Every structure is written in C-alpha cells, then in structure tokens.
Amino acid sequence: MFRFIIRKLFYGILVLAGVVVIVFFLFQGFGDPERLVMGQTGDSATISNIKKELGLDRPKWKQFLLYANDISPICIHTNEEIRSEQLKGFFIGGEKKLGIKIPYLRRSYQTKQNVSEVLMNVLPNTIILAIAAMLLATVFGILLGVLAAVKKDTWLDTSSVFASVLGISAPSFFAGILLAYFFGFVLSDHTGLHMTGNLYDYDVFNGKQLDLKNLILPAITLGIRPLAIITQLTRSAMLDVLSQDHIRTAYAKGLNKRTVIFKHALRNALNPVITAITGWFAELLAGAFFVEYIFGWNGIGKTTVDALEKLDFPVVMGSMLVTATLFIFINILADILYSITDPRVRTIV
C-alpha cells in the first residue's frame, strides 16, 4: 500500500511539473508581458523599468528557473528576497539560503497583492460551490436512478433516461444562461433568486451576512451533468443487482420492497457510483470557471477570467497551478480509496 501511494504521488509530481512548464511558456515564455501590461502607448523607458522590476529582462531559460524556484516548496533564496516577498517557511544558510517554504506565486501586475492571498480568499467559495453541486447531484442522481430501475420500462424510467441524456448533452454555460435568465430574471419575483450573487452579502448596517440562496442556481447548473451520469450509473447498477439471486432470496424471506431495494440492492450497486462521485468532484472544480463567471460567483474561476481580461498573468498562472494541484490531489485520493475498497487496483495500476 505504501509503495502504491508513493508511486501515485511520483506520477502526480511529474504531471504537475508538466503543467508548470506549459503554464510558464504559455503566459510568459512567448510575447512581451510588459507590453501587454502597458499597452502600445507605453514609452521605452517605462517598459524597460517594468521589465527589470518583473525580471523580464533576463533570458527565457533563466526566467523559467527563477519561476520554478519561486513556486517550488524546496528553494534557494537570498535574504533580500525572503524579506521583500515575505516568504514563509524554514531557511538555513548565509546570504543565499536553502529552504522549505509555502510556494510563492508572485504578485499581481494590477494590485501588487500576493497571488496566493488573492486565490486563497476566493478558493473556499469555489470549493463550497463544488460540494453543493456534488451533494445535489449525488442525492437526486441516486434517487432518480433507483426510481428508474424499480419502475423499468414505465414512463418514469423513460423520463429519467431522457432527462439524463439531456443533462449530459447540455453544456454548463448554456444551462447556466437559461437558468439565470428564467429563474433569476423572468421569475425572480416568484423564486426570490437573482441572476448574480455571492455567498456573503454586505449590508451597510448589518455588515457581512451569509446568503445561501445565491448558491442555488450556480449549484444546480454545475450539478446537472454529474447528476445525469450518476442517474444512469445507478440505474444500470441497480438493474444488474436486482436480477441477482440474493435479491430474490430476500423477497422470498418476506422482506418488504423498500428494505430489499435500499438495504440490500442499493448497497451493492453503489461502487460504480462512488467512483463517479470522486472523479466528478475534481471535474467540478475545473468546470466551475464558466458557471462562476455567468452567475458572478466570487470564486477562483471568476477571479481567473477577470485576471485574463486585465492581462494579469501572475493571477492566471497561479490559478491554473492551484487548480491543477487540487485536481491531481483529488485523483490520487480517489485512487487510494479505490485501492482500499478493491485491493486488485494496486496490482493493475
């Protein structure tokens, strides 16, 4: 088990290293970031000062090494860099120190704020949105899947299958626009919902207040596709389990239908559903970008899109690295859970 975890972590680090290379050369390796920041009207002296300040006057290979050193937990920094960038960690040595630190994602071009602080302020909102969407998809997906399996070949089964196919086919941004328009604008007086909103509202008199109703529409939008998939998986697994001998034996012993379905059949049908849930949670973190922007949800997705519009590359690069790290971590955690429930996975992977 220990070797399995080490192997998965090693693969995860390799993937993350590849992401670092792609992110750097995509946003800083090509073109002139300082020209994008200043625009075409910037004079040569100002641009030269900006290049020096941002370290863009060095060769590209050296820029990459410095960037890798900044974002790496194991690093070498001077005393001046540690003080000026307020690096947090443990350092040993003289003028140049070897250290283990919290990765430094540099500073925003626009606000000069530490990118880590910018992203950590909004990341909890994205995680809350993803969890809410996954809970909605899991609860309703399992219930609809069980209902479709129990009522096989009836209008309930046909309707559930049709709705799940429609949910898989509909892009999140398209579903989000429709939900925001109809329930947040046309029917707003009846639903009490709005097209945009954050987890917290700010009132002049009462200050910061939690407002969960703003979570409803983005969570539904984000949860539509996993709900559809979980519905189909639950239906297929339930149909397979309901045809097995131990279910017929349970009925023969006089157990009522509800007990047989939820205590015996559903328990044995949940393995593929659990696999889908763990896999889709990582997908939701990435899929939240468009949904957050549509609903004005103050999460990491909206922050990244806003940074792209302002050409604030450090924020965009930091966002991509944080999202990739979460994605890799969740997938490693899912693999570990699979190996615990089914030891055969360790021999296959």
Side-chain angles (χ1 to χ4, degrees), residues 8-135:
K8 299 303 293 185
L9 287 173
F10 176 72
Y11 292 152
I13 291 172
L14 288 181
V15 172
L16 192 57
V19 172
V20 169
V21 173
I22 293 172
V23 166
F24 175 82
F25 285 102
L26 185 63
F27 290 101
Q28 192 167 317
F30 303 107
D32 298 312
E34 71 284 350
R35 175 65 69 178
L36 294 173
V37 173
M38 283 297 300
Q40 298 302 318
T41 58
D43 59 273
S44 58
T46 304
I47 290 177
S48 177
N49 290 333
I50 291 176
K51 289 181 69 173
K52 186 175 181 180
E53 179 186 354
L54 300 178
L56 301 175
D57 56 341
R58 300 183 175 107
K60 294 298 182 184
W61 65 268
K62 194 168 186 178
Q63 291 182 39
F64 175 74
L65 292 179
L66 291 172
Y67 180 69
N69 185 57
D70 283 342
I71 65 174
S72 173
I74 302 174
C75 59
I76 298 175
H77 285 287
T78 64
N79 290 324
E80 177 61 28
E81 290 171 344
I82 294 172
R83 283 194 302 268
S84 62
E85 305 303 345
Q86 298 178 349
L87 303 180
K88 298 178 181 179
F90 176 74
F91 300 91
I92 56 173
E95 174 59 27
K96 285 192 175 182
K97 297 182 181 293
L98 176 66
I100 298 176
K101 72 175 191 308
I102 297 174
Y104 172 58
L105 301 178
R106 299 191 171 178
R107 295 185 180 275
S108 165
Y109 287 164
Q110 302 294 329
T111 66
K112 305 302 180 183
Q113 188 178 359
N114 195 311
V115 172
S116 298
E117 295 177 4
V118 173
L119 297 179
M120 289 304 109
N121 285 336
V122 296
L123 182 58
N125 294 337
T126 297
I127 293 176
I128 290 172
L129 175 59
I131 290 174
M134 202 69 247
L135 284 175

Side-chain angles (χ1 to χ4, degrees), residues 306-325:
D306 290 341
L308 270 173
E309 291 180 347
K310 299 174 183 177
L311 303 175
D312 199 347
F313 290 153
V315 176
V316 178
M317 295 164 73
S319 172
M320 294 181 69
L321 291 179
V322 169
T323 304
T325 302

Side-chain angles (χ1 to χ4, degrees), residues 200-212:
Y200 293 96
D201 284 336
Y202 295 88
D203 187 84
V204 177
F205 301 101
N206 300 319
K208 186 177 179 180
Q209 290 185 316
L210 183 67
D211 194 351
L212 290 176

Side-chain angles (χ1 to χ4, degrees), residues 291-337:
V291 175
E292 288 180 0
Y293 191 73
I294 290 169
F295 290 97
W297 185 261
N298 190 27
I300 195 170
K302 183 177 181 298
T303 299
T304 304
V305 176
D306 290 341
L308 270 173
E309 291 180 347
K310 299 174 183 177
L311 303 175
D312 199 347
F313 290 153
V315 176
V316 178
M317 295 164 73
S319 172
M320 294 181 69
L321 291 179
V322 169
T323 304
T325 302
L326 287 173
F327 191 91
I328 292 168
F329 175 77
I330 292 172
N331 277 284
I332 290 174
L333 183 61
D335 288 338
I336 293 172
L337 291 175

